[in-house]
């Protein structure tokens, strides 16, 4: 039988573990997106026809929906990243780490709503044609 | 010979943080101006080209490119070091990431620098 080694006392999902895992996953998704983004935008060198063609493809409803997820990834990664930096650079930060996490996530959520709601409406319009 | 990687070091750590802070600022400007959020709208050549033709946006986009590529690829390198332990494999991945970074840097630079509307 597979058993947890007894030296490992606890292997639970803490808020810190989830925050770290999400930071890692969103970071990897973002660099993957960056590669595609550089390649897509490079089409502008081909002039209006080539650029509008590729931009037409990446602005179809499915992409518009995925873009809202992208905004979520960016905002989570950015504000969790700032949390990491603040906590590393200040002594008070370590003591108040829960409050700092809550504050950063609050800002991220507000920005997500400000950007995401219009994006979603835009998506619905595109869907309706 | 030991693979002379520089990571795990002070500068990799420091520049990950510096580029991270810069990226927050650059991204907020990028969303507000390039993507016209919160209003949004469809992006076409007619919208993008006049902006990209100006020196200010060229400098902005090049800074953005350098910061994001360094941060993203250095980040991937940090992740790799957590999971790949063989020195040889690490070395090949390290040079692979450097090559990828160089290719993307050139691709981005030749998109932005010579652009005329
Ligand atoms: C928007 C502002 C951003 C901030 C403030 C930020 C901050 C950070 C910080 C502080 C780390 C180090 C985490 C650690 O040492 O444990 C990190 C890791 C990482 N970042 Fe960012 N980042 C930002 C944007 C980006 C972007 C645009 C990308 C993709 C191109 C990206 C990709 C990564 C990756 C792949 C990692 C490695 C993840 C890991 O080690 O688990 N980040 N980020």
């Amino acid at each position: 039988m597979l058993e947890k080694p007894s030296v490992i006392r606890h292997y639970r999902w803490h808020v810190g573990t989830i925050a770290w895992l999400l930071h890692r996953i969103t970071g990897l998704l973002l660099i993957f997106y960056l590669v595609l983004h550089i390649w897509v935008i490079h089409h502008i060198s081909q002039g209006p026809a080539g650029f509008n063609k590729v931009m037409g493809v990446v602005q179809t409803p499915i992409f518009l929906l995925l873009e809202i997820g992208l905004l979520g990834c960016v905002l989570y990664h950015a504000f969790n990243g700032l949390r990491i930096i603040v906590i590393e650079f200040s002594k008070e930060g370590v003591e108040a780490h829960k409050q700092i996490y809550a504050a950063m996530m609050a800002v991220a959520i507000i920005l997500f709503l400000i950007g995401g709601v219009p994006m979603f409406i835009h998506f619905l319009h595109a869907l309706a044609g | 010979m030991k693979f002379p990687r520089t990571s795990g070091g002070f500068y990799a750590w420091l520049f990950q943080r510096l580029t991270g802070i810069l990226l927050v600022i650059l991204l907020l400007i990028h969303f507000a101006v390039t993507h016209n959020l919160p209003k949004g709208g469809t992006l076409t050549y007619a919208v993008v080209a006049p902006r990209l033709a100006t020196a200010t946006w060229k400098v902005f986009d090049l800074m953005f490119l350098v910061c994001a590529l360094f941060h993203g690829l250095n980040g991937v390198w940090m992740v790799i070091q957590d999971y790949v332990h063989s020195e040889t494999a690490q070395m090949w991945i390290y040079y692979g990431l450097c090559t990828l970074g160089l290719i993307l840097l050139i691709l981005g630079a030749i998109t932005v620098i010579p652009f005329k509307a």
Side-chain angles (χ1 to χ4, degrees), chain A residues 19-35 73-86 88, chain B residues 12-13 16-28 31 64 67-80 82-83:
Chain A
W20 167 83
L21 191 63
L22 281 177
H23 194 78
R24 180 154 280 194
I25 293 168
T26 51
L28 293 174
L29 287 172
L30 289 176
I31 183 69
F32 176 70
Y33 172 76
L34 181 65
V35 175
C73 286
V74 172
L75 288 172
Y76 176 81
H77 189 95
F79 285 93
N80 187 57
L82 287 181
R83 176 192 68 96
I84 296 171
I85 297 170
V86 168
E88 281 175 350
Chain B
W13 172 84
Q16 191 70 6
R17 271 123 194 96
L18 286 178
T19 51
I21 294 168
L22 277 171
L23 280 169
V24 177
I25 301 162
L26 295 170
L27 274 163
L28 288 176
F31 290 148
F64 207 177
C67 288
L69 278 178
F70 174 83
H71 184 98
L73 292 173
N74 189 49
V76 172
W77 176 231
M78 302 187 332
V79 176
I80 295 289
D82 278 352
Y83 302 112

Side-chain angles (χ1 to χ4, degrees), chain B residues 48-71:
Chain B
V48 179
R51 219 170 14 229
L52 189 56
T54 64
T56 317
W57 282 101
K58 283 176 198 241
V59 172
F60 179 92
D61 284 342
L62 288 174
M63 267 172 64
F64 207 177
L65 184 69
V66 171
C67 288
L69 278 178
F70 174 83
H71 184 98

Side-chain angles (χ1 to χ4, degrees), chain B residues 88-107:
Chain B
T88 335
Q90 275 198 10
M91 183 187 79
W92 285 110
I93 294 170
Y94 182 79
Y95 290 131
L97 289 173
C98 291
T99 312
L100 181 66
L102 200 63
I103 292 170
L104 290 169
L105 186 67
I106 293 170
L107 189 60

Side-chain angles (χ1 to χ4, degrees), chain A residues 6-41:
Chain A
S6 59
V7 285
I8 298 173
R9 286 178 183 282
H10 49 122
Y11 199 84
R12 280 185 285 131
W13 290 96
H14 291 279
V15 175
T17 322
I18 297 167
W20 167 83
L21 191 63
L22 281 177
H23 194 78
R24 180 154 280 194
I25 293 168
T26 51
L28 293 174
L29 287 172
L30 289 176
I31 183 69
F32 176 70
Y33 172 76
L34 181 65
V35 175
L36 296 179
H37 189 54
I38 292 173
W39 177 73
V40 166
I41 298 305

